[in-house]
Amino acid sequence: MKKIVYLDNAATSGKKPDNVKKAVMKTMENYCANPGRSGHFLSVSAQKAVYEVREKTAGMFGISKAENVIFTQNTTHALNIAVNTAGQRKKTVISSVMEHNSVLRPLYALEEKYGVKTVFLTPDFNNTDKFGEEVIRKIDRDCGAVVLTACSNVTGSLLPLKKIGRVCREKGIIFIVDGAQAAGHYGINMTENCIDMLCVPSHKGLLGICGGGALIVGDNFTEKINPVLMGGSGIYSVKKQMPDSLPERLEAGTLPFAPILSMGAGIDFLKKAGIEELNFRSTRAAQRLRELLGNTKGVTLYSCHGNIVLFNIEGKESFKTAEMLDRCGISVRSGLHCAPLCHKALGTGKDGGVRASFGWFNTPSDSEYLWKCIRNYL
Amino acid sequence: MDGVVNFFVSLDRCGEYTVPRGDFLSLFIGTGSATYASKSGKILDSMGIKNRIVRRTVSEDMGCGWGVEINESDKTRVMDILANSGIKINLLKQ
């Protein structure tokens, strides 16, 4: 049987805990019904199960209002809602070159639609602490919002959220955080970090399945949030507009029930196993690869941290390297990782780089196997 | 109308509690979402108060809303609990 080493956890987590699998089965076996729509027993049971996950998610990210957890199709959907809310102010939005296209493209659209000015700051990838000061320096009276990733999907760099969040709160600036890579890998407390809107996926660090995500709104955020999708809400069917109250205002159409319940089970798993312990495992495995590649002639290792390793083999296009690794049974991702500005800042070139992203189940021996394959390829 | 919960005790939906018809006061309190109904139901469950989440027509110009059925004898207590939990209540007699 072919050896498989999955190192594409930044795209989606490769191994789901058993309780997550059971939760997904339960959606088909126990409540095969539409939550929040019908009044029969199965539908109400499904709705109660969804509400449990709202509570778990609120608790996980440090807010008290479960109704402020809005389930979405994915992080991108959540970010579109959040970024559009920022755009309503028609003021400058500060962001970074580390952002994914799920932030960049909605921001570019704001430029076109409202003439909103956007500023993309470049951090020192080896010392992102300084970046907080740079963002704060850029904040002026024309600034309406700050939109930042908590953790880069290309380099694994973390941004100093608390420092930035506090200044945003003091100045009445909306603080939006893309938690796609950080959620489940690092603790994020929205209240402590003064985050107004946090966007997370069901299927990455939270260990659920693909097809879901959440926009989590801070307890004290009062600005009106407009939906990007409109449709059925299960209430007020005669009204021509979406209802005013959260979460239904932003949850048009049938909810992704199985991804939501899988995410709840993932949160249970993270709580039991401990986020720090799981992060220690993935970081230790990634660190082993950084050590090996860093001492290998012919390999360019870029500034990278945590569970991410970004590299290129000199003279080889990144996708060729990824294909070679795939033949060895190693799953990595090549290219620009939907973060073109970040690659430009790193100088990886038009082909981008090879990203190995580690999960809680990976071990240093996975790194040693990848390194052996690279050595044979050089 | 944010955060307002449907809250009604129906004359014809009392089977779950096996209370004879007529022992319920038909009440309708406000309008609300399935999320607020679930929140209310969970709070009431945790306090050992019998309840059932139900869906009803709110009004002709609104459509459907969600609520919680309870025993009429729990009415005052339930209203206090929900109000203290930040759930807005709009009591109407049906």
Side-chain angles (χ1 to χ4, degrees), chain A residues 256-276:
Chain A
F257 186 39
I260 290 169
L261 259 61
S262 72
M263 186 171 115
I267 290 172
D268 290 340
F269 178 81
L270 290 168
K271 276 188 181 165
K272 196 172 176 187
I275 286 179
E276 285 181 7

Side-chain angles (χ1 to χ4, degrees), chain A residues 37-38 51 55 236 248, chain B residues 35 39 42 55 62 64 66:
Chain A
R37 290 296 183 270
S38 308
Y51 185 74
E55 285 196 325
Y236 308 157
E248 281 77 6
Chain B
T35 303
K39 183 174 186 170
K42 194 166 180 201
R55 189 166 185 260
M62 291 289 271
C64 288
W66 290 79

Side-chain angles (χ1 to χ4, degrees), chain A residues 270-297:
Chain A
L270 290 168
K271 276 188 181 165
K272 196 172 176 187
I275 286 179
E276 285 181 7
E277 166 60 24
L278 299 178
N279 188 41
F280 171 76
R281 289 188 209 171
S282 58
T283 301
R284 181 180 58 182
Q287 185 56 30
R288 180 69 181 134
L289 185 57
R290 281 191 283 269
E291 287 163 8
L292 292 167
L293 293 180
N295 293 317
T296 305
K297 203 177 169 188

Side-chain angles (χ1 to χ4, degrees), chain B residues 22-91:
Chain B
D23 280 11
F24 278 102
L25 173 67
S26 181
L27 288 176
F28 178 85
I29 300 183
T31 61
S33 66
T35 303
Y36 275 99
S38 300
K39 183 174 186 170
S40 305
K42 194 166 180 201
I43 291 166
L44 298 179
D45 283 345
S46 72
M47 306 195 91
I49 298 171
K50 274 189 175 181
N51 69 89
R52 185 168 63 165
I53 295 167
V54 290
R55 189 166 185 260
R56 294 283 184 277
T57 299
V58 175
S59 67
E60 215 174 292
D61 59 351
M62 291 289 271
C64 288
W66 290 79
V68 184
E69 276 187 349
I70 58 153
N71 277 311
E72 198 273 336
S73 56
D74 290 325
K75 179 189 149 194
T76 308
R77 193 172 160 216
V78 166
M79 287 179 68
D80 285 346
I81 291 166
L82 296 186
N84 289 334
S85 304
I87 297 167
K88 293 174 195 166
I89 295 168
N90 181 15
L91 175 63

Side-chain angles (χ1 to χ4, degrees), chain A residues 100-101 153-154 310 333-340 343 352-355:
Chain A
H100 187 275
N101 271 338
N153 71 315
V154 177
L310 185 72
R333 183 171 164 190
S334 60
L336 298 175
H337 310 100
C338 300
H343 275 277
V354 181
R355 180 187 71 187

